[in-house]
Amino acid sequence: MNGLAYPILSTLIFLPVLGAAVILFIGRNQERLTKWAALAVSIAVFVLSIPLFTDFNRMTPLMQFTESHAWIPSWNITYFLGVDGISVLFILLSTLITVLCVLISWNSIKTKVKEFYIAVLVMEGAMIGVFSALDFFLFYLFWEAMLIPMYLLIGVWGGPNRVYAAIKFFLYTLVGSVLMLVGIIVLYSYAGHTFNILELMTKTYPYRMQFWLFWAFFAAFAVKVPMFPVHTWLPDAHTEAPTAGSVILAAVLIKMGAYGFLRFSLPLFPDASKAMAVPMLTLSVIAIIYGAVVCLAQTDLKRLIAYSSVSHMGFVTLGIFALNIQGLEGGILQMINHGVVTGALFLSVGIIYDRTHSRQISDYGGLATVFPLYAAFFMVFTLASIGLPGLNGFVGEFLIILGGFTASKWAGVLAATGIIIGAAYMLWLYQRVFFLETNQKLVGLQAMELREVITLLPMIILVFWIGIYPDTFLSFMHPSVQNLLERLNTGGQEVTLAGKIAEIIK
Amino acid sequence: MKILTEMPDVTALMPEIVMTCLALVLLMLDLFIRRKEITALLAIVIAAVVGFFLTGSSGTAFSGMFISDGYSSFFKLIFLVSLVLSVLISIRYIKIESVNFGEYYSLMLFSTLGMMLMASAGDIIVLYLGLELMALSLYVLAGFLRHDTKSNEASLKYFLLGAFASAFLLYGTSMIYGLTGTTNLKAIAHYLAANGVAHNPAVMLSVILFVVAFGFKIAAAPFHMWAPDVYEGAPTSVTAFMSVGPKAAGFAVFGRVFLTAFGGLQVDWAGILIPLAILTMAVGNILAISQTNIKRMLAYSSIAHAGYALIGLIAGGGNGVASMMNYLFIYAFMNIGAFGVVIMLRTEGFKGEEITDYEGLAKSHPLAAALMLVFMFSLTGIPPTAGFVGKFYLFMAAVAEGYTWLALVAVIFSAISAYFYLRIVMYMYMKEPKAEVALSTSAPHGIALAVATCAVLLIGVLPSGIIELARAAVAGF
């Protein structure tokens, strides 16, 4: 199944962990060496992940680059990895984001430098693990293990209110996850003692069971997305986390919730998903509008972007629960888009925060005259976030609204108002920060370093690439999404294709 | 020759016989040993020798009064592991507390011997014998800090309540003896089944009395009252020892008596144990939140863990019991590990028992903080640590036996427990050190912590071996 000479997914998961172990042995006072080592490891991981992009077969919904080894035979658990069109892009996003996170933290992390880069690298391994695990036990292992470095990232290197934000983040996610854990075990004992996700997908489950398990999984995924009304951890965590933490949270971590819906909830519980589509669409629309309106009232830069994530992720869940091809593909693409744009916005805020140490919007003003290059970058990301045609946000949101409109007219219409409010708060933010009278405190700020420009450049490229030629990315998803829809529409019936997959794997 | 042929077959009993002899020898030898480290070392050697004899022992002795099977051997392994780890973390600590006496190690050996008898008991009389031997040694150990009133109080409290619990056990025994005319566990089961008296109120009463007595030993709520005070007052190394071995021994007899003698009544006693387990998890996890003393916090935490392990017993069946044993095995490493770090903070003139003493530990002593982090996450049950594997197996057994709702209750409580375990992590990593905290370290201590950490991480990633061992142990039950 894998034309490469090395097990690419395992390498991607364990190379960062190995790198972290090496950094462990670098002396505490050799901060430069630590940073360079972290950068080298993250770049190496990124480079090694490129074959996922180039060698990926875009014609098949089957799992690719699979690896399967017996792991805990007593419980029939296998170390089973693989990617399909839904997950592959997130792995690429994770490897790219980690490089940028290392770069952006270069000068801003001053205490416990060594531990910081260890946490970031371990985090990377766990994230890739989540997206590539095809065994529920393995998935859950990565899913929860990820909490440890993230908890430390927020709590140790975060802002003034970091301890509160960190524990809130941890408890919210943990409560959701443990409910899913019970769901996983129930699934295991019902489906004949297997954790193999592909095998579980070939089975049909009685509706009552689907219903309860759907909500058990919902608890885990909705907290992560985060969906209204369990989103309250997000503004705190995003705001208090250090720049790298915010970027990882926004770009990758919260995608895992939506990914969970796509990978598990829809194919495992097709009947329940269809029956619950209306409540899900309602929650999504509430998130879109509520998130956007709350943005208008924010005075803190990071908090504003955090709330905009609630709104944008509302679009993603709207697309997913539209349960049609436009909605699903739009949803997946929008996840990537949101990762790129919001990640970039947090990176940008990090750049300016390093200089001013203020997140208050009122402390800025007229930044465009002092900081023209930065203003240009920020403009692109702002417009992408709003969804200007030609930039990436447009493609995703357009597909989602199209899909949403097909599923429910009201959902489509109401979601569209979210875009309008979105334009309002983003442009207003831009105006308050970059135009108006120049704040005297900002005069004489150090210009952007080359390192910072390099950090933002890949994001700019992606914004235009997805905006102008989205097919590069959409073509990854077509067969997988088609397959998912087939599973959904045949209800709980035996899906021939999925059955075949399981056969091939065996 | 006649005497030899009449001599009962004692191969099953060899580990206990060896341990008794060697422990007595050590007690006397100690008079001539100046350096108490050597006594400690000899205690470990004795544990190793007993472990060696353990591998060759199987079968029954004294017409079924003493059983050596996979079940008992697995528990004995837990006892020996916790004994060795506890001895290793004691060596420097009892010197700091200036109670560096050789009897300390002998008492630990005798206590372990009691536990081993409990695990092998096929008769309630043997069980009682083991239980008292274990408990009497522990009463002395709990009060080992003779000049410390708290330690004295702990000892007295433990003694009074322990005696009370023993009375319950005897009362239950007399009840069942009056009804069945035997104290042999298998014979009791046989009698109950054959004569159809299983639902006689006297049987239920004696089941309840046994629950009270064993519930006391494993510190299950509402019989947990002694635990926080005793854990706090006792020397920390004894607390570590006490929180693992005796608790596991309590579970060993719990399983032995309830599954053998009252095996036919599982529905009835499961009905008693379920509210007990839920209450235990609730009391342990909720009261731990408000503790300011780390030993008290770990006491409540150990109450909570008894609640989790009870789930395995309730689920019953091969998997249920195996999951309980697996959990106790894992618990031994993570809990003694956590206490191992707590002990390091105790230096001459500094108690280091307050949670606030951990402020900024990651800065001053990054390695100790990292170890504590591992143990705290393991106690919470976060992968990839052994604590997660243990809980996972318990929940799996519960769900398989139809107790999904009980698993649900347990996971909610373990999410609550994250709060107080993470509080320690928070103090270590997210606060600045207030005062300079010194650590007392020693090579044996380092070995104990290294073993505990490796076990916690290794079982977390590769649990297959220990799961298979627990399963095989139950197979012959």
Side-chain angles (χ1 to χ4, degrees):
Chain A
M1 299 287 292
N2 180 359
L4 298 165
Y6 58 99
I8 181 163
L9 293 172
S10 290
T11 314
L12 293 184
I13 293 170
F14 292 106
L15 187 61
V17 180
L18 199 71
V22 170
I23 290 177
L24 198 61
F25 290 103
I26 296 179
R28 194 160 290 280
N29 44 10
Q30 288 179 299
E31 290 184 0
R32 265 184 77 84
L33 183 63
T34 310
K35 289 183 213 171
W36 279 104
L39 185 64
V41 172
S42 61
I43 289 178
V45 174
F46 176 67
V47 170
L48 286 171
S49 71
I50 288 174
L52 286 181
F53 188 74
T54 52
D55 292 13
F56 188 84
N57 181 349
R58 299 171 196 206
M59 295 300 152
T60 165
L62 297 180
M63 287 295 166
Q64 306 183 31
F65 306 102
T66 53
E67 294 168 35
S68 178
H69 305 285
W71 178 24
I72 310 174
S74 330
W75 296 338
N76 197 12
I77 292 171
T78 46
Y79 175 79
F80 185 20
L81 302 173
V83 286
D84 68 352
I86 295 173
S87 50
V88 64
L89 293 176
F90 295 109
I91 295 182
L92 291 163
L93 186 66
S94 309
T95 56
L96 174 64
I97 287 288
T98 308
V99 178
L100 306 184
C101 282
V102 171
L103 278 173
I104 200 72
S105 312
W106 206 261
N107 291 333
S108 55
I109 299 298
K110 294 190 172 69
T111 54
K112 302 197 178 106
V113 176
K114 186 167 124 172
E115 285 87 345
F116 178 83
Y117 289 101
I118 291 176
V120 169
L121 289 176
V122 170
M123 188 76 205
E124 180 180 22
M127 291 190 298
I128 297 169
V130 166
F131 288 122
S132 53
L134 291 179
D135 181 284
F136 250 133
F137 186 88
L138 188 63
F139 169 78
Y140 192 82
L141 193 113
F142 286 128
W143 174 272
E144 286 245 292
M146 206 172 56
L147 292 181
I148 303 174
M150 199 64 222
Y151 169 73
L152 294 175
L153 277 179
I154 300 173
V156 179
W157 295 277
N161 204 11
R162 58 185 194 268
V163 173
Y164 169 76
I167 191 77
K168 194 170 177 183
F169 159 79
F170 197 97
L171 289 183
Y172 261 70
T173 344
L174 186 66
V175 171
S177 307
V178 292
L179 293 177
M180 175 172 74
L181 177 68
V182 176
I184 292 173
I185 296 174
V186 169
L187 211 57
Y188 169 82
S189 38
Y190 180 84
H193 296 255
T194 177
F195 284 110
N196 185 322
I197 291 166
L198 298 182
E199 221 176 301
L200 289 171
M201 280 179 196
T202 60
K203 303 223 161 62
T204 48
Y205 306 95
Y207 181 74
R208 243 184 96 77
M209 190 173 172
Q210 284 196 27
F211 176 82
W212 287 111
L213 290 182
F214 179 85
W215 286 105
F217 281 59
F218 173 83
F221 300 146
V223 167
K224 220 43 158 224
V225 166
M227 285 174 85
F228 179 87
V230 284
H231 63 280
T232 55
W233 64 269
L234 179 126
D236 289 314
H238 275 54
T239 312
E240 296 303 330
T243 304
S246 306
V247 173
I248 291 177
L249 269 172
V252 186
L253 221 77
I254 63 176
K255 303 300 169 307
M256 287 173 183
Y259 170 77
F261 281 123
L262 285 165
R263 170 67 77 231
F264 306 112
S265 296
L266 299 192
L268 285 171
F269 323 121
D271 302 318
S273 302
K274 276 190 280 190
M276 293 302 128
V278 174
M280 293 296 123
L281 289 179
T282 313
L283 287 179
S284 307
V285 169
I286 294 176
I288 292 173
I289 295 174
Y290 170 80
V293 171
V294 172
C295 276
L296 288 170
Q298 295 309 312
T299 55
D300 180 312
L301 263 174
K302 280 179 100 173
R303 222 174 165 79
L304 191 149
I305 301 172
Y307 271 110
S308 84
S309 289
V310 176
S311 179
H312 285 287
M313 289 310 286
F315 277 103
V316 172
T317 48
L318 177 74
I320 291 173
F321 283 97
L323 301 177
N324 51 37
I325 186 129
Q326 296 88 355
L328 283 169
E329 290 197 351
I332 301 171
L333 189 67
Q334 188 62 10
M335 281 155 78
I336 302 287
N337 288 340
H338 179 262
V340 170
V341 172
T342 310
L345 283 172
F346 275 122
L347 287 172
S348 309
V349 172
I351 290 173
I352 193 77
Y353 181 81
D354 281 349
R355 290 168 172 74
T356 62
H357 295 283
S358 166
R359 300 190 309 242
Q360 292 303 313
I361 297 173
S362 53
D363 284 351
Y364 294 93
L367 205 58
T369 44
V370 207
F371 227 16
L373 181 62
Y374 178 75
F377 274 119
F378 207 95
M379 189 76 212
V380 174
F381 298 132
T382 303
L383 293 176
S385 171
I386 296 168
L388 189 78
L391 302 178
N392 62 350
F394 174 73
V395 188
E397 284 181 357
F398 179 76
L399 281 170
I400 288 170
I401 292 182
L402 195 66
F405 200 75
T406 322
S408 148
K409 287 199 176 53
W410 277 109
V413 171
L414 288 171
T417 63
I419 300 188
I420 299 170
I421 312 175
Y425 67 72
M426 280 314 285
L427 289 176
W428 191 35
L429 167 76
Y430 196 82
Q431 184 188 358
R432 282 182 288 170
V433 172
F434 290 92
F435 301 144
L436 303 176
E437 215 153 288
T438 308
N439 190 332
Q440 286 311 310
K441 274 185 274 178
L442 300 175
V443 176
L445 283 186
Q446 182 202 355
M448 272 175 92
E449 286 173 41
L450 183 61
R451 168 181 62 85
E452 291 162 338
V453 176
I454 291 174
T455 313
L456 291 181
L457 259 186
M459 297 310 220
I460 290 281
I461 295 171
L462 280 172
V463 164
F464 281 106
W465 189 351
I466 304 177
I468 293 167
Y469 194 69
D471 205 49
T472 322
F473 300 91
L474 286 173
S475 66
F476 275 94
M477 312 164 193
H478 291 314
S480 298
V481 171
Q482 202 69 50
N483 183 35
L484 180 61
L485 276 174
E486 217 169 297
R487 165 81 181 164
L488 269 171
N489 291 331
T490 45
Q493 314 298 314
E494 193 79 17
V495 181
T496 48
L497 203 52
K500 268 185 207 153
I501 300 171
E503 241 167 67
I504 292 166
I505 300 303
K506 277 187 172 170
Chain B
M1 285 311 281
K2 194 154 186 298
I3 296 172
L4 272 183
T5 50
E6 275 178 0
M7 181 83 179
D9 180 20
V10 292
T11 45
L13 208 58
M14 272 320 271
E16 282 77 9
I17 293 173
V18 170
M19 188 148 192
T20 315
C21 298
L22 291 180
L24 288 170
V25 168
L26 182 72
L27 193 60
M28 284 185 284
L29 212 58
D30 179 58
L31 293 172
F32 310 103
I33 297 176
R34 265 280 186 50
R35 290 171 55 91
K36 299 303 168 192
E37 290 89 340
I38 297 172
T39 317
L41 187 71
L42 287 175
I44 292 170
V45 171
I46 293 174
V49 172
V50 173
F52 171 74
F53 277 97
L54 198 59
T55 54
S57 112
S58 72
T60 58
F62 307 118
S63 41
M65 286 185 92
F66 186 93
I67 307 166
S68 172
D69 55 4
Y71 179 81
S72 67
S73 300
F74 190 90
F75 274 106
K76 287 174 193 172
L77 182 67
I78 298 178
F79 304 148
L80 291 176
V81 163
S82 75
L83 170 71
V84 171
L85 291 178
S86 304
V87 167
L88 285 173
I89 62 174
S90 300
I91 296 172
R92 177 149 166 91
Y93 173 75
I94 59 171
K95 216 188 277 175
I96 292 174
E97 294 283 5
S98 50
V99 284
N100 197 7
F101 306 116
E103 302 91 88
Y104 177 91
Y105 300 108
S106 301
L107 283 167
M108 274 197 168
L109 286 174
F110 284 124
S111 178
T112 308
L113 179 63
M115 296 174 208
M116 290 168 67
L117 276 176
M118 284 165 82
S120 276
D123 190 292
I124 301 178
I125 300 301
V126 177
L127 189 160
Y128 184 72
L129 207 68
L131 189 134
E132 285 302 304
L133 179 56
M134 169 189 93
L136 286 169
S137 315
L138 283 178
Y139 301 148
V140 182
L141 281 173
F144 214 71
L145 303 178
R146 286 176 300 184
H147 308 295
D148 185 355
T149 46
K150 266 191 172 174
S151 182
N152 287 320
E153 183 195 328
S155 180
L156 188 64
K157 204 170 229 168
Y158 194 24
F159 171 68
L160 287 177
L161 289 171
F164 207 48
S166 295
F168 273 99
L169 178 64
L170 290 177
Y171 195 25
T173 311
S174 67
M175 200 81 79
I176 203 78
Y177 180 74
L179 200 71
T180 61
T182 175
T183 50
N184 186 293
L185 297 175
K186 281 206 177 101
I188 292 172
H190 188 72
Y191 185 90
L192 291 180
N195 295 292
V197 288
H199 289 91
N200 188 314
V203 177
M204 277 327 284
L205 185 60
S206 95
V207 166
I208 291 170
L209 291 169
F210 279 122
V211 168
V212 174
F214 298 155
F216 174 86
K217 288 296 163 206
I218 63 169
F223 317 112
H224 66 284
M225 301 302 184
W226 59 275
D229 291 337
V230 175
Y231 279 30
E232 188 193 349
T236 313
S237 54
V238 174
T239 310
F241 181 65
M242 201 153 63
S243 67
V244 176
K247 196 184 279 279
F251 273 100
V253 292
F254 229 132
R256 182 75 83 183
V257 172
F258 279 55
L259 292 169
T260 309
F262 304 121
L265 292 146
Q266 181 154 9
V267 186
D268 301 278
W269 55 255
I272 302 172
L273 292 186
I274 289 172
L276 200 74
I278 295 175
L279 189 67
T280 305
M281 289 187 283
V283 166
N285 284 318
I286 292 170
L287 291 184
I289 292 175
S290 58
Q291 300 307 316
T292 54
N293 179 300
I294 193 151
K295 282 166 80 179
R296 277 187 95 80
M297 190 209 92
L298 285 172
Y300 281 107
S301 134
S302 93
I303 293 170
H305 284 277
Y308 300 129
L310 271 177
I311 293 173
L313 195 60
I314 292 164
N319 264 329
V321 178
S323 71
M324 173 190 91
M325 290 156 70
N326 178 51
Y327 195 76
L328 292 168
F329 186 79
I330 289 168
Y331 176 72
F333 289 105
M334 57 190 187
N335 214 44
I336 295 187
F339 274 112
V341 179
V342 173
I343 285 184
M344 285 208 291
L345 262 71
R346 174 77 171 102
T347 45
E348 276 94 353
F350 183 68
K351 265 192 127 46
E353 283 178 10
E354 294 304 311
I355 290 179
T356 45
D357 292 338
Y358 287 77
E359 275 179 8
L361 194 70
K363 199 163 192 177
S364 46
H365 304 284
L367 184 62
L371 294 181
M372 195 63 168
L373 175 109
V374 170
F375 297 128
M376 288 298 121
F377 277 113
S378 184
L379 286 167
T380 317
I382 304 289
T385 57
F388 170 70
V389 171
K391 279 193 180 144
F392 189 80
Y393 196 8
L394 283 173
F395 300 154
M396 219 153 79
V399 170
E401 296 297 325
Y403 291 108
T404 308
W405 66 274
L406 190 58
L408 214 55
V409 173
V411 296
I412 295 297
F413 278 121
S414 74
I416 292 174
S417 77
Y419 182 79
F420 59 84
Y421 291 127
L422 288 195
R423 208 153 64 103
I424 307 290
V425 177
M426 185 265 280
Y427 272 104
M428 293 189 307
Y429 279 85
M430 300 167 196
K431 299 250 175 177
E432 285 305 307
K434 259 197 213 136
E436 190 58 39
V437 174
L439 287 189
S440 61
T441 49
S442 65
H445 203 109
I447 294 170
L449 282 177
V451 168
T453 315
C454 288
V456 164
L457 291 177
L458 207 66
I459 298 174
V461 181
L462 296 169
S464 250
I466 184 66
I467 294 164
E468 284 308 318
L469 196 65
R471 276 194 183 171
V474 180
F477 188 63

